[in-house]
Amino acid sequence: MRIERHHQKEQDPKVRAKNFSEPVYNFDAETAVAEAKRCLKCRNAPCRNGCPVAVKIPEFIGKIAEGDPLGAAAVIRETNNLPAVCGRVCPQEEQCEKLCIRSRMEGAVSIGALERYAADYALERGGETTPPKGGLKGRVAVVGSGPSSLTCAADCAAAGLSVTVYEAFHTAGGVLVYGIPEFRLPKSLVKKEIDKLLSLGVRLELNTVVGKTVTLPQLLEKFDAAFIGSGAGLPQFLNIPGENLNGVYSANEYLTRVNLMKAYDPASPTPIPRGGRVAVFGAGNVAMDAARTALRLGAEKVSIVYRRGREEMPARKEEIRHAEEEGVVFELLTAPTEILGEGGRVRAVKCARCELGAPDASGRRRPVVVAGSGFEIPCETAIVAVGTSPNPLIKDSAPDLKTTEKGTITVDEKGAASIPGVYAGGDAVTGAATVILAMGAGRTAAAAIAEYIKGKGAKRIIEN
Amino acid sequence: MYRIVKKRNLAENVVEFVIDAPAVTLNAKPGQFIILRVDGDGERVPFTICDMDKKAGTVTILVQTVGYSTKLLAQKNEGGFIQDFVGPLGRATDLTEFKKVVMIGGGIGAAVIYPQAKFLKSVNRPADVIVGARTKSLIMYEDEFKAAAKNLHIATDDGSYGRKGFVTDVLRELLDRARAAPAQYDAVFAVGPMPMMKAVCELTKGYGVHTVVSMNATMVDGTGMCGGCRVTVGGKALYACVHGPEFDGHLIDWDTAINRSRNFREQEAAHLCKLK
Ligand SMILES: Cc1cc2nc3c(=O)[nH]c(=O)nc-3n(C[C@H](O)[C@H](O)[C@H](O)COP(=O)(O)OP(=O)(O)OC[C@H]3O[C@@H](n4cnc5c(N)ncnc54)[C@H](O)[C@@H]3O)c2cc1C
Ligand code: FES
């Protein structure tokens, strides 16, 4: 039977472009049930194959259809410990929803929206039960507190292991707190998820830079195993003239100032440029987040400048649509060639138009500059969002840790790194990727860590 | 939360804090720094580790009250707490490869050179030290330097203490004198306001003496994550927080660095007004 896909209601683009509340509203109970009833309960559940942590999708949707969102949340939690996050930021259209049978008809079941519905319901009402702990003894150090680390820590704790998470920043959550903006992922929600983890008995040591405060070899003296989920935080720049002018920021700096350092609140002591014209280089989720944040800080005009075309933009489709609706201007097939300044500050970006030529190593068609197509985009702020790579701090203090040329940590299929007892996952291994892939890697590594400790026996008796 | 074990005023607008932070002392070495946040909504501000006591688990920092966060910090008292304190960050300095070193501390820069001076003294290679400031009340660590330095020279812009003039005037004399002597200086280590470090580098270039400076760039994370602290060194963008804070002063693009240090000046001034 043909039933159209239900969409979440959204704030008026003009209004939401000026506030930091979520643009998309949660389903109400009635819509959630109606949408859940669209699920055909396919026996082979193709959607599950698209999910990196294989959430039991038809099962949880079935619970929502029965009017049992708490039951649905419990089903999701069996394989995904950050459902409220994933329901908001996963690229569902590339994963589960892409494989949904209905996607070939009148539109896939809104799996992401339903996941958020169940997760938010459970977080608000509470009453979720935690499964009993396993009996494994041993100590695990987890480096970083992004999604890969949170997942690995939760799974290790569930197995019975004693877990300490070491985070460089003053707040836990990784990209979920410093990168992804408040309007896309409310920080109060991330905090609830982290509190949940702590309630499992996981210890959290903030303000600890592994490789500096304590080195990996020092940690291994005290712990049976370690997981490295330190992400890919090192920003890349374009290496074009003018990048050191005042007013040029990496997306990491811009978003960290706004999110983690709360510059969105005018009372915060963290300075940030507000208003004016902003140019953002790049077209991934990070670029969309920076552009939409700039609008919310009061920018008059925000342009996304991207070398390739619309089809090649790596951001989630929803983010691109939202950015466009909110008034972000897309300068596609356009390469920035120089940042122009005046009195030490940015005045404009010099750009050239591009054409797509033959495919490059990544398989995408390489942009080629069209001769004589130069023009200027006037702006006072320029934000570089062209990618990040892993931070070398840990590697520098642990020479035995094998990494690739790109600086990513080398691991086997179970997440084991080159040092016995050391595991890694998430962006630190793959380079900048997604929340759900990082979570999947954390889960795989946790299972391997449990196996490793079982085989070897815990190093020493747990004191507390 | 990190407890303030001791607090004393060292010079006009300069306060010394001894902070209880045992984890930081585990691996800390001279030349490294920490980042702190005064309270729950605070900025992340870097300070050099001036001294530490591994047994007591304390770290000493010097705070010059110049902006919003430093004023807020100066209002804290012994027994009080600081929200966040992370380190050691940056690379440690090693000046032991040099035989004859001049160290220059301009203003609060004295805090940065002190641990190095103390260290060189401990390995029996005490350095000549020049401490400079605008006026007498801004000179600090005089007794400490007397104990750690081979010779201590003091200069004030207004002549209210030591000799009248700039640190570069003293440095020029030392370099000239050393030219005639059998053992020349093989390194200068200068820390202070950027224009002072720039002037030192211009001078030492002429004498061909290797010069190391410490870049007090604006920082956010201190771990290489934001790129805000980037400094152009030898034509390449390096991060003061992970590749530095010390760099070869003759390779630094000073005009860009000085310009970048002014990035947020107006917004900071506006915010400072709120703090009375
Ligand atoms: C702005 C932005 C928007 C994004 N949007 C999306 C999206 O919509 N959907 C999606 O799926 N993905 C998105 N991503 C990508 C996603 O956030 C990451 O792939 C994911 O967070 C990676 O998780 P992780 O656990 O590997 O590392 P991270 O989340 O990067 O966490 C790493 C943590 O380790 C800490 N750390 C680093 N080094 C050390 C050290 N030496 N010692 C101690 N701690 C250390 C860091 O401070 C950080 O907290 C986005 C990323 C950004 C930046
Ligand atoms: S302070 Fe952010 S990279 Fe150095």
Side-chain angles (χ1 to χ4, degrees), chain A residues 170 207 212-213 218 233-234 243-244 246 250 252-253 261 272 344-345 391, chain B residues 27 42 44 84 87-88 90 223-226 228 230 232 259-260 267:
Chain A
H170 57 263
N207 296 325
K212 290 286 178 188
T213 313
Q218 284 169 335
L234 207 71
E243 246 175 344
N244 291 322
N246 290 344
S250 74
N252 270 3
E253 179 178 2
M261 305 310 296
I272 190 85
R345 297 205 78 87
N391 196 317
Chain B
N27 293 323
R44 294 173 64 93
D84 295 294
T223 61
M225 197 217 67
C226 74
R230 60 194 186 274
T232 313
N259 180 52
R260 283 188 65 76
Q267 285 195 34

PDB file of all heavy atoms in Angstrom, chain A residues 170 207 212-213 218 233-234 243-244 246 250 252-253 261 272 344-345 391, chain B residues 27 42 44 84 87-88 90 223-226 228 230 232 259-260 267:
ATOM      1  N   HIS A 170      38.561  20.305  28.346  1.00  0.00           N
ATOM      2  CA  HIS A 170      37.913  20.433  29.651  1.00  0.00           C
ATOM      3  C   HIS A 170      36.493  19.878  29.644  1.00  0.00           C
ATOM      4  O   HIS A 170      35.799  19.936  30.651  1.00  0.00           O
ATOM      5  CB  HIS A 170      37.933  21.898  30.117  1.00  0.00           C
ATOM      6  CG  HIS A 170      37.273  22.844  29.148  1.00  0.00           C
ATOM      7  ND1 HIS A 170      37.986  23.575  28.237  1.00  0.00           N
ATOM      8  CD2 HIS A 170      35.992  23.138  28.934  1.00  0.00           C
ATOM      9  CE1 HIS A 170      37.148  24.294  27.507  1.00  0.00           C
ATOM     10  NE2 HIS A 170      35.931  24.041  27.914  1.00  0.00           N
ATOM     11  N   ASN A 207      41.277  17.277  30.947  1.00  0.00           N
ATOM     12  CA  ASN A 207      42.535  18.043  30.970  1.00  0.00           C
ATOM     13  C   ASN A 207      43.768  17.146  30.942  1.00  0.00           C
ATOM     14  O   ASN A 207      44.771  17.440  31.582  1.00  0.00           O
ATOM     15  CB  ASN A 207      42.593  18.935  32.221  1.00  0.00           C
ATOM     16  CG  ASN A 207      41.503  19.995  32.206  1.00  0.00           C
ATOM     17  OD1 ASN A 207      41.151  20.496  31.143  1.00  0.00           O
ATOM     18  ND2 ASN A 207      40.975  20.323  33.371  1.00  0.00           N
ATOM     19  N   LYS A 212      51.546  13.950  26.315  1.00  0.00           N
ATOM     20  CA  LYS A 212      52.141  15.090  27.005  1.00  0.00           C
ATOM     21  C   LYS A 212      52.009  14.925  28.521  1.00  0.00           C
ATOM     22  O   LYS A 212      52.989  14.722  29.228  1.00  0.00           O
ATOM     23  CB  LYS A 212      51.449  16.397  26.573  1.00  0.00           C
ATOM     24  CG  LYS A 212      51.752  16.792  25.158  1.00  0.00           C
ATOM     25  CD  LYS A 212      53.166  17.336  25.076  1.00  0.00           C
ATOM     26  CE  LYS A 212      53.577  17.712  23.685  1.00  0.00           C
ATOM     27  NZ  LYS A 212      54.987  18.054  23.607  1.00  0.00           N
ATOM     28  N   THR A 213      50.773  15.018  29.007  1.00  0.00           N
ATOM     29  CA  THR A 213      50.543  14.877  30.442  1.00  0.00           C
ATOM     30  C   THR A 213      51.005  13.494  30.893  1.00  0.00           C
ATOM     31  O   THR A 213      51.676  13.327  31.913  1.00  0.00           O
ATOM     32  CB  THR A 213      49.044  15.058  30.772  1.00  0.00           C
ATOM     33  OG1 THR A 213      48.572  16.211  30.095  1.00  0.00           O
ATOM     34  CG2 THR A 213      48.829  15.210  32.261  1.00  0.00           C
ATOM     35  N   GLN A 218      53.569   5.114  29.424  1.00  0.00           N
ATOM     36  CA  GLN A 218      53.277   5.277  30.860  1.00  0.00           C
ATOM     37  C   GLN A 218      51.904   4.693  31.202  1.00  0.00           C
ATOM     38  O   GLN A 218      51.736   4.062  32.244  1.00  0.00           O
ATOM     39  CB  GLN A 218      53.332   6.761  31.260  1.00  0.00           C
ATOM     40  CG  GLN A 218      54.762   7.292  31.374  1.00  0.00           C
ATOM     41  CD  GLN A 218      54.826   8.814  31.508  1.00  0.00           C
ATOM     42  OE1 GLN A 218      53.921   9.526  31.084  1.00  0.00           O
ATOM     43  NE2 GLN A 218      55.916   9.314  32.087  1.00  0.00           N
ATOM     44  N   GLY A 233      42.041  15.714  14.420  1.00  0.00           N
ATOM     45  CA  GLY A 233      41.775  17.108  14.777  1.00  0.00           C
ATOM     46  C   GLY A 233      42.651  18.144  14.122  1.00  0.00           C
ATOM     47  O   GLY A 233      42.427  19.337  14.280  1.00  0.00           O
ATOM     48  N   LEU A 234      43.680  17.735  13.385  1.00  0.00           N
ATOM     49  CA  LEU A 234      44.644  18.701  12.856  1.00  0.00           C
ATOM     50  C   LEU A 234      44.094  19.344  11.585  1.00  0.00           C
ATOM     51  O   LEU A 234      43.904  18.670  10.588  1.00  0.00           O
ATOM     52  CB  LEU A 234      45.941  17.947  12.538  1.00  0.00           C
ATOM     53  CG  LEU A 234      47.233  18.714  12.580  1.00  0.00           C
ATOM     54  CD1 LEU A 234      47.596  19.058  14.007  1.00  0.00           C
ATOM     55  CD2 LEU A 234      48.349  17.867  11.975  1.00  0.00           C
ATOM     56  N   GLU A 243      46.607  33.523   3.849  1.00  0.00           N
ATOM     57  CA  GLU A 243      45.912  32.710   4.843  1.00  0.00           C
ATOM     58  C   GLU A 243      46.223  33.096   6.284  1.00  0.00           C
ATOM     59  O   GLU A 243      45.541  32.654   7.205  1.00  0.00           O
ATOM     60  CB  GLU A 243      46.224  31.222   4.618  1.00  0.00           C
ATOM     61  CG  GLU A 243      44.997  30.477   4.207  1.00  0.00           C
ATOM     62  CD  GLU A 243      45.244  29.018   3.854  1.00  0.00           C
ATOM     63  OE1 GLU A 243      46.394  28.600   3.629  1.00  0.00           O
ATOM     64  OE2 GLU A 243      44.263  28.286   3.803  1.00  0.00           O
ATOM     65  N   ASN A 244      47.267  33.907   6.476  1.00  0.00           N
ATOM     66  CA  ASN A 244      47.585  34.321   7.842  1.00  0.00           C
ATOM     67  C   ASN A 244      47.055  35.702   8.186  1.00  0.00           C
ATOM     68  O   ASN A 244      47.363  36.251   9.242  1.00  0.00           O
ATOM     69  CB  ASN A 244      49.098  34.273   8.067  1.00  0.00           C
ATOM     70  CG  ASN A 244      49.579  32.828   8.056  1.00  0.00           C
ATOM     71  OD1 ASN A 244      48.892  31.949   8.559  1.00  0.00           O
ATOM     72  ND2 ASN A 244      50.723  32.594   7.462  1.00  0.00           N
ATOM     73  N   ASN A 246      44.413  38.450   9.522  1.00  0.00           N
ATOM     74  CA  ASN A 246      43.410  38.382  10.580  1.00  0.00           C
ATOM     75  C   ASN A 246      42.036  38.250   9.938  1.00  0.00           C
ATOM     76  O   ASN A 246      41.724  38.927   8.954  1.00  0.00           O
ATOM     77  CB  ASN A 246      43.476  39.636  11.450  1.00  0.00           C
ATOM     78  CG  ASN A 246      44.732  39.656  12.294  1.00  0.00           C
ATOM     79  OD1 ASN A 246      45.390  38.622  12.460  1.00  0.00           O
ATOM     80  ND2 ASN A 246      45.073  40.811  12.819  1.00  0.00           N
ATOM     81  N   SER A 250      40.539  28.411  10.771  1.00  0.00           N
ATOM     82  CA  SER A 250      40.192  27.044  10.409  1.00  0.00           C
ATOM     83  C   SER A 250      38.772  26.830  10.928  1.00  0.00           C
ATOM     84  O   SER A 250      38.365  27.481  11.896  1.00  0.00           O
ATOM     85  CB  SER A 250      41.149  26.051  11.070  1.00  0.00           C
ATOM     86  OG  SER A 250      40.858  25.942  12.462  1.00  0.00           O
ATOM     87  N   ASN A 252      37.791  24.396  12.550  1.00  0.00           N
ATOM     88  CA  ASN A 252      37.952  23.912  13.921  1.00  0.00           C
ATOM     89  C   ASN A 252      38.026  25.066  14.918  1.00  0.00           C
ATOM     90  O   ASN A 252      37.396  25.023  15.970  1.00  0.00           O
ATOM     91  CB  ASN A 252      39.236  23.100  14.051  1.00  0.00           C
ATOM     92  CG  ASN A 252      39.014  21.637  13.783  1.00  0.00           C
ATOM     93  OD1 ASN A 252      37.909  21.225  13.448  1.00  0.00           O
ATOM     94  ND2 ASN A 252      40.048  20.851  13.935  1.00  0.00           N
ATOM     95  N   GLU A 253      38.833  26.072  14.586  1.00  0.00           N
ATOM     96  CA  GLU A 253      38.953  27.193  15.515  1.00  0.00           C
ATOM     97  C   GLU A 253      37.623  27.932  15.628  1.00  0.00           C
ATOM     98  O   GLU A 253      37.149  28.222  16.728  1.00  0.00           O
ATOM     99  CB  GLU A 253      40.049  28.171  15.069  1.00  0.00           C
ATOM    100  CG  GLU A 253      40.135  29.357  16.044  1.00  0.00           C
ATOM    101  CD  GLU A 253      41.226  30.375  15.743  1.00  0.00           C
ATOM    102  OE1 GLU A 253      41.941  30.234  14.738  1.00  0.00           O
ATOM    103  OE2 GLU A 253      41.354  31.327  16.537  1.00  0.00           O
ATOM    104  N   MET A 261      33.605  26.957  23.500  1.00  0.00           N
ATOM    105  CA  MET A 261      33.936  28.149  24.267  1.00  0.00           C
ATOM    106  C   MET A 261      32.755  29.119  24.338  1.00  0.00           C
ATOM    107  O   MET A 261      32.901  30.250  24.780  1.00  0.00           O
ATOM    108  CB  MET A 261      35.171  28.844  23.689  1.00  0.00           C
ATOM    109  CG  MET A 261      36.396  27.952  23.561  1.00  0.00           C
ATOM    110  SD  MET A 261      36.806  27.037  25.049  1.00  0.00           S
ATOM    111  CE  MET A 261      37.184  28.376  26.159  1.00  0.00           C
ATOM    112  N   ILE A 272      34.840  36.359  18.924  1.00  0.00           N
ATOM    113  CA  ILE A 272      34.507  35.731  17.640  1.00  0.00           C
ATOM    114  C   ILE A 272      33.976  36.847  16.741  1.00  0.00           C
ATOM    115  O   ILE A 272      33.316  37.755  17.227  1.00  0.00           O
ATOM    116  CB  ILE A 272      33.425  34.630  17.822  1.00  0.00           C
ATOM    117  CG1 ILE A 272      33.240  33.788  16.555  1.00  0.00           C
ATOM    118  CG2 ILE A 272      32.075  35.197  18.221  1.00  0.00           C
ATOM    119  CD1 ILE A 272      34.201  32.639  16.435  1.00  0.00           C
ATOM    120  N   GLY A 344      46.057  44.408   7.255  1.00  0.00           N
ATOM    121  CA  GLY A 344      46.257  43.185   8.015  1.00  0.00           C
ATOM    122  C   GLY A 344      45.011  42.345   8.200  1.00  0.00           C
ATOM    123  O   GLY A 344      45.047  41.303   8.832  1.00  0.00           O
ATOM    124  N   ARG A 345      43.869  42.800   7.672  1.00  0.00           N
ATOM    125  CA  ARG A 345      42.616  42.048   7.814  1.00  0.00           C
ATOM    126  C   ARG A 345      42.100  41.626   6.444  1.00  0.00           C
ATOM    127  O   ARG A 345      42.397  42.272   5.439  1.00  0.00           O
ATOM    128  CB  ARG A 345      41.541  42.914   8.477  1.00  0.00           C
ATOM    129  CG  ARG A 345      41.842  43.352   9.881  1.00  0.00           C
ATOM    130  CD  ARG A 345      40.552  43.646  10.626  1.00  0.00           C
ATOM    131  NE  ARG A 345      39.926  42.418  11.041  1.00  0.00           N
ATOM    132  CZ  ARG A 345      40.211  41.805  12.188  1.00  0.00           C
ATOM    133  NH1 ARG A 345      41.045  42.327  13.028  1.00  0.00           N
ATOM    134  NH2 ARG A 345      39.618  40.675  12.482  1.00  0.00           N
ATOM    135  N   ASN A 391      46.180  14.002  14.797  1.00  0.00           N
ATOM    136  CA  ASN A 391      47.162  14.753  15.556  1.00  0.00           C
ATOM    137  C   ASN A 391      48.357  13.860  15.896  1.00  0.00           C
ATOM    138  O   ASN A 391      48.165  12.729  16.335  1.00  0.00           O
ATOM    139  CB  ASN A 391      46.445  15.169  16.841  1.00  0.00           C
ATOM    140  CG  ASN A 391      47.166  16.251  17.561  1.00  0.00           C
ATOM    141  OD1 ASN A 391      48.382  16.206  17.674  1.00  0.00           O
ATOM    142  ND2 ASN A 391      46.417  17.218  18.033  1.00  0.00           N
TER     143      ASN A 391
ATOM    144  N   ASN B  27      55.589  14.847  33.614  1.00  0.00           N
ATOM    145  CA  ASN B  27      56.499  14.906  32.460  1.00  0.00           C
ATOM    146  C   ASN B  27      57.000  16.302  32.123  1.00  0.00           C
ATOM    147  O   ASN B  27      57.672  16.479  31.112  1.00  0.00           O
ATOM    148  CB  ASN B  27      55.790  14.341  31.224  1.00  0.00           C
ATOM    149  CG  ASN B  27      55.499  12.861  31.339  1.00  0.00           C
ATOM    150  OD1 ASN B  27      56.305  12.111  31.893  1.00  0.00           O
ATOM    151  ND2 ASN B  27      54.357  12.431  30.848  1.00  0.00           N
ATOM    152  N   GLY B  42      35.129  30.269  31.341  1.00  0.00           N
ATOM    153  CA  GLY B  42      36.346  30.997  30.988  1.00  0.00           C
ATOM    154  C   GLY B  42      36.946  30.651  29.645  1.00  0.00           C
ATOM    155  O   GLY B  42      36.653  29.629  29.046  1.00  0.00           O
ATOM    156  N   ARG B  44      40.387  29.778  27.378  1.00  0.00           N
ATOM    157  CA  ARG B  44      41.570  28.947  27.613  1.00  0.00           C
ATOM    158  C   ARG B  44      42.785  29.842  27.383  1.00  0.00           C
ATOM    159  O   ARG B  44      42.989  30.342  26.294  1.00  0.00           O
ATOM    160  CB  ARG B  44      41.576  27.762  26.659  1.00  0.00           C
ATOM    161  CG  ARG B  44      40.427  26.788  26.901  1.00  0.00           C
ATOM    162  CD  ARG B  44      40.367  25.719  25.820  1.00  0.00           C
ATOM    163  NE  ARG B  44      41.544  24.878  25.813  1.00  0.00           N
ATOM    164  CZ  ARG B  44      41.656  23.725  26.479  1.00  0.00           C
ATOM    165  NH1 ARG B  44      40.643  23.272  27.206  1.00  0.00           N
ATOM    166  NH2 ARG B  44      42.765  23.019  26.431  1.00  0.00           N
ATOM    167  N   ASP B  84      40.114  24.715  35.331  1.00  0.00           N
ATOM    168  CA  ASP B  84      40.838  23.753  34.505  1.00  0.00           C
ATOM    169  C   ASP B  84      42.306  24.139  34.387  1.00  0.00           C
ATOM    170  O   ASP B  84      42.637  25.327  34.367  1.00  0.00           O
ATOM    171  CB  ASP B  84      40.239  23.693  33.094  1.00  0.00           C
ATOM    172  CG  ASP B  84      38.829  23.160  33.095  1.00  0.00           C
ATOM    173  OD1 ASP B  84      38.656  21.976  33.436  1.00  0.00           O
ATOM    174  OD2 ASP B  84      37.895  23.917  32.786  1.00  0.00           O
ATOM    175  N   GLY B  87      48.360  20.440  31.008  1.00  0.00           N
ATOM    176  CA  GLY B  87      49.718  20.542  30.508  1.00  0.00           C
ATOM    177  C   GLY B  87      50.514  19.312  30.902  1.00  0.00           C
ATOM    178  O   GLY B  87      49.954  18.368  31.443  1.00  0.00           O
ATOM    179  N   PRO B  88      51.789  19.267  30.687  1.00  0.00           N
ATOM    180  CA  PRO B  88      52.572  20.298  29.990  1.00  0.00           C
ATOM    181  C   PRO B  88      52.322  20.260  28.493  1.00  0.00           C
ATOM    182  O   PRO B  88      52.149  19.182  27.939  1.00  0.00           O
ATOM    183  CB  PRO B  88      54.009  19.887  30.298  1.00  0.00           C
ATOM    184  CG  PRO B  88      53.951  18.388  30.412  1.00  0.00           C
ATOM    185  CD  PRO B  88      52.616  18.092  31.031  1.00  0.00           C
ATOM    186  N   GLY B  90      53.424  21.904  24.437  1.00  0.00           N
ATOM    187  CA  GLY B  90      54.569  22.421  23.682  1.00  0.00           C
ATOM    188  C   GLY B  90      55.803  21.577  23.886  1.00  0.00           C
ATOM    189  O   GLY B  90      55.797  20.594  24.616  1.00  0.00           O
ATOM    190  N   THR B 223      46.748  21.996  21.449  1.00  0.00           N
ATOM    191  CA  THR B 223      47.142  20.648  21.042  1.00  0.00           C
ATOM    192  C   THR B 223      47.246  20.503  19.528  1.00  0.00           C
ATOM    193  O   THR B 223      47.314  19.399  19.008  1.00  0.00           O
ATOM    194  CB  THR B 223      46.140  19.590  21.548  1.00  0.00           C
ATOM    195  OG1 THR B 223      44.859  19.877  20.961  1.00  0.00           O
ATOM    196  CG2 THR B 223      46.009  19.608  23.050  1.00  0.00           C
ATOM    197  N   GLY B 224      47.221  21.614  18.807  1.00  0.00           N
ATOM    198  CA  GLY B 224      47.336  21.526  17.350  1.00  0.00           C
ATOM    199  C   GLY B 224      46.010  21.353  16.653  1.00  0.00           C
ATOM    200  O   GLY B 224      45.963  20.941  15.506  1.00  0.00           O
ATOM    201  N   MET B 225      44.922  21.654  17.320  1.00  0.00           N
ATOM    202  CA  MET B 225      43.622  21.361  16.764  1.00  0.00           C
ATOM    203  C   MET B 225      42.958  22.536  16.046  1.00  0.00           C
ATOM    204  O   MET B 225      42.077  22.333  15.234  1.00  0.00           O
ATOM    205  CB  MET B 225      42.721  20.865  17.880  1.00  0.00           C
ATOM    206  CG  MET B 225      41.519  20.174  17.373  1.00  0.00           C
ATOM    207  SD  MET B 225      40.135  20.526  18.372  1.00  0.00           S
ATOM    208  CE  MET B 225      39.809  22.194  18.153  1.00  0.00           C
ATOM    209  N   CYS B 226      43.341  23.764  16.403  1.00  0.00           N
ATOM    210  CA  CYS B 226      42.608  24.892  15.831  1.00  0.00           C
ATOM    211  C   CYS B 226      43.421  25.672  14.810  1.00  0.00           C
ATOM    212  O   CYS B 226      42.863  26.330  13.952  1.00  0.00           O
ATOM    213  CB  CYS B 226      42.123  25.822  16.936  1.00  0.00           C
ATOM    214  SG  CYS B 226      43.424  26.818  17.680  1.00  0.00           S
ATOM    215  N   GLY B 228      44.928  28.294  15.288  1.00  0.00           N
ATOM    216  CA  GLY B 228      44.878  29.716  15.607  1.00  0.00           C
ATOM    217  C   GLY B 228      46.232  30.277  16.003  1.00  0.00           C
ATOM    218  O   GLY B 228      46.490  31.470  15.871  1.00  0.00           O
ATOM    219  N   ARG B 230      49.061  29.703  14.649  1.00  0.00           N
ATOM    220  CA  ARG B 230      50.069  29.492  13.599  1.00  0.00           C
ATOM    221  C   ARG B 230      50.997  30.701  13.442  1.00  0.00           C
ATOM    222  O   ARG B 230      50.579  31.850  13.542  1.00  0.00           O
ATOM    223  CB  ARG B 230      49.416  29.108  12.274  1.00  0.00           C
ATOM    224  CG  ARG B 230      48.457  30.101  11.670  1.00  0.00           C
ATOM    225  CD  ARG B 230      47.634  29.432  10.558  1.00  0.00           C
ATOM    226  NE  ARG B 230      46.784  30.385   9.844  1.00  0.00           N
ATOM    227  CZ  ARG B 230      45.569  30.725  10.238  1.00  0.00           C
ATOM    228  NH1 ARG B 230      45.066  30.222  11.352  1.00  0.00           N
ATOM    229  NH2 ARG B 230      44.841  31.584   9.537  1.00  0.00           N
ATOM    230  N   THR B 232      54.419  31.982  10.971  1.00  0.00           N
ATOM    231  CA  THR B 232      55.165  31.666   9.760  1.00  0.00           C
ATOM    232  C   THR B 232      56.656  31.617  10.081  1.00  0.00           C
ATOM    233  O   THR B 232      57.239  32.613  10.485  1.00  0.00           O
ATOM    234  CB  THR B 232      54.881  32.705   8.658  1.00  0.00           C
ATOM    235  OG1 THR B 232      53.467  32.896   8.584  1.00  0.00           O
ATOM    236  CG2 THR B 232      55.399  32.242   7.319  1.00  0.00           C
ATOM    237  N   ASN B 259      50.938  41.329  13.568  1.00  0.00           N
ATOM    238  CA  ASN B 259      49.577  41.610  13.109  1.00  0.00           C
ATOM    239  C   ASN B 259      48.588  40.606  13.701  1.00  0.00           C
ATOM    240  O   ASN B 259      47.521  40.982  14.193  1.00  0.00           O
ATOM    241  CB  ASN B 259      49.522  41.571  11.579  1.00  0.00           C
ATOM    242  CG  ASN B 259      48.128  41.866  11.053  1.00  0.00           C
ATOM    243  OD1 ASN B 259      47.519  42.868  11.420  1.00  0.00           O
ATOM    244  ND2 ASN B 259      47.602  40.970  10.235  1.00  0.00           N
ATOM    245  N   ARG B 260      48.937  39.318  13.680  1.00  0.00           N
ATOM    246  CA  ARG B 260      48.013  38.298  14.201  1.00  0.00           C
ATOM    247  C   ARG B 260      47.755  38.488  15.689  1.00  0.00           C
ATOM    248  O   ARG B 260      46.670  38.197  16.183  1.00  0.00           O
ATOM    249  CB  ARG B 260      48.550  36.886  13.938  1.00  0.00           C
ATOM    250  CG  ARG B 260      48.374  36.436  12.496  1.00  0.00           C
ATOM    251  CD  ARG B 260      48.739  34.975  12.293  1.00  0.00           C
ATOM    252  NE  ARG B 260      47.847  34.071  13.020  1.00  0.00           N
ATOM    253  CZ  ARG B 260      46.616  33.768  12.633  1.00  0.00           C
ATOM    254  NH1 ARG B 260      46.129  34.271  11.535  1.00  0.00           N
ATOM    255  NH2 ARG B 260      45.884  32.945  13.344  1.00  0.00           N
ATOM    256  N   GLN B 267      37.704  43.445  20.414  1.00  0.00           N
ATOM    257  CA  GLN B 267      36.692  42.695  21.163  1.00  0.00           C
ATOM    258  C   GLN B 267      37.125  42.469  22.600  1.00  0.00           C
ATOM    259  O   GLN B 267      36.308  42.496  23.512  1.00  0.00           O
ATOM    260  CB  GLN B 267      36.446  41.342  20.499  1.00  0.00           C
ATOM    261  CG  GLN B 267      35.630  41.475  19.241  1.00  0.00           C
ATOM    262  CD  GLN B 267      35.077  40.141  18.794  1.00  0.00           C
ATOM    263  OE1 GLN B 267      34.740  39.289  19.614  1.00  0.00           O
ATOM    264  NE2 GLN B 267      34.972  39.953  17.509  1.00  0.00           N
TER     265      GLN B 267
END
